[in-house]
Amino acid sequence: MQGIKNISRSRAQESSAAIERLYITMRHLFNRGFYKPMGVSGDTLREALLSLRPEIYGSIAEEKAELNGLLYVIERLPIGIEECRFVNLTSDEGYSKSHFKAIIPPKRRRNCYRIDDEQMNVEITRGRSDIYDILTHLTFIYLESHKIKNRVIIDDNGEIARDWLKLEQVIQANTKLNLIEREQAISHASIILGRTFAEITDIYDAFGTKAIPDRFLHVIYWLGKLALEETLGGAKRIITFSPILRERLGHHIHGEIWADNIKMVLKQNGLLERPIHIISANMHSVMNSIFAPYELRSKYKDKSDFFIFEELSKSGNDILRNKVEETALKNGMIAMPDTSGTNIDVQIFDTAGIDFSKTAFPEAKPNNAPVILVMDYAFGEQAYETIDELLKPFKEGKNRTLLNVESVSIMGKAGILEGAKGDIMIPSAHINEGTGDNYPFENELTAEMFAGQGIPVYSGPMVTVLGTSLQNRDLLKFFNESTWGVIGLEMEGAHYQKAIQSASKIRKSINPDVKVRYAYYASDNPLETGSTLASGGLGTTGVKPTYIITIKILEQIFNLSN
């Protein structure tokens, strides 16, 4: 047993070292300004990712293609990026005012612009975490592209496999495929990818869009085509970082604009000096928790509140969602769609404008008519930038107004290490992966508060990771099974807490005794095969824990908790 334990620790240490190399290498390449991901300059990044073998990228280190990991990545990159030899990471440099149409990936809020046939620009307005996310995803798809290339070139003379030529004919014909044509193309693709016909058929439609139903074939073809051209003497793919991005990164430019906009709206509405409760959540759970059960009770007689929340979460129910939002806007809510570039929308609830007898909290008795400020999810290190700026005093000329922040509540999705999808995690501390920084805190939420809800609850430290795409089974098992006792992983907690602690304990810009609440529900279990992020979303499984957490936070703000 001792030998096995030592091997496990050794692998965890190797994985930790690989993450550190990735982190350092990406910062070096950013400072350099450009690199060729499949050239010498990309060696360290590729080797570290292959050494790490993140769970989300599945069979990245094997000869066969990784289909679930590819789908996960493609959904987070702009459509058409697989066709581009040049990827340029930029700041917000005015493309929104040009004729270029913004391309927004389905699962990541970032503006991208197809400049020409060979170049894709990706706007980075959410900090370094956005860069790490993109570079690891791009490294993955380039590694996959070379797997395709290796199966397409069948001898030292550069002869091309027949299956590739047949796939090329399908792409060049550029016509909608009937069932027979599609299955013929899938058959050729299965040989190229080293995957079975059934495996490709199962995932095929998930890649498709209404405009490009056969997008899977396009992605495979273009990845292989550019890898082939690189190998056969053509130009290599290049990733560049614009001078403006390199100049601006780390200076909180977008976060400062975002925070100033919020404080100005608070001032204009006479709310700046009122008690403020900040909640980091999605843009529907707080609004729906307060207004939906009462507003929709006549439509859903004898149905539970959670049934109503599930109905609101379904994609076809825009009319119901709009009805709840209209009610909220008439009862103290101010909507602030983002204009700063952070991609973080905001809702401000003036509780003085809410008739609580017509809400889900008729017994609510909030002190001094507080303001609830709901901000959409930040991304990684962006959490520090936004909260750090938001908690600074409001400056107008020579006047400084300190914000009366009574609480900061953070809820969201996270990976779990002990339970299953949909379970709830209540952290007692955040550990920053790779640095040893740790942030213990007194959480106003406890596991006992969630008892009896039919959902397992776990309590303990959580690790704030560099990126979900870098998680490795051995390292996570070490965090979970060692004295660290980590119950889950997410990307923002330590960054939020760092900003809260500096504002409350050192800079004294907010109340030193500000209350903090952290709670997460499990979107995946990276230690469990078939339950990683690449295995798909939660569906309605996430609805109940989302609203249970939201309601517990609101009960404390409204002085309803026991």
Side-chain angles (χ1 to χ4, degrees), residues 239-255:
I239 296 174
T240 55
F241 307 91
S242 79
I244 304 298
L245 174 63
R246 291 159 66 200
E247 177 186 309
R248 288 179 177 176
L249 194 73
H251 292 290
H252 292 197
I253 289 172
H254 300 287

Side-chain angles (χ1 to χ4, degrees), residues 4 20 27 33 52 89 127 156 187 199 212 240 242 245 256 282 364 413 415 417 431 440 469 508-509 513 519 534:
I4 293 172
E20 188 175 358
R27 295 194 73 155
L52 187 62
L89 305 189
D156 293 339
S187 177
E199 285 175 320
I212 318 171
T240 55
S242 79
L245 174 63
E256 184 177 3
N282 53 55
K413 295 184 291 186
L417 300 180
I431 302 157
S469 57
K508 305 293 172 63
S509 57
D513 298 319

Side-chain angles (χ1 to χ4, degrees), residues 146-218:
H146 273 243
K147 290 183 190 178
I148 297 169
K149 177 266 298 179
N150 291 339
R151 287 181 172 272
V152 168
I153 300 177
I154 58 178
D155 62 23
D156 293 339
N157 297 322
E159 185 176 347
I160 304 298
R162 175 180 180 272
D163 293 293
W164 179 259
L165 298 176
K166 289 291 185 180
L167 178 61
E168 190 169 51
Q169 287 175 12
V170 170
I171 300 300
Q172 290 178 347
N174 197 28
T175 57
K176 187 175 181 180
L177 304 181
N178 59 37
L179 179 60
I180 294 173
E181 292 168 335
R182 177 200 284 192
E183 291 190 342
Q184 286 174 339
I186 290 174
S187 177
H188 295 304
S190 70
I191 304 299
I192 294 167
L193 299 174
R195 289 288 187 175
T196 66
F197 180 88
E199 285 175 320
I200 294 177
T201 302
D202 287 344
I203 204 167
Y204 190 91
D205 289 336
F207 279 81
T209 64
K210 287 184 180 179
I212 318 171
D214 301 301
R215 188 178 175 222
F216 177 85
L217 300 176
H218 287 258

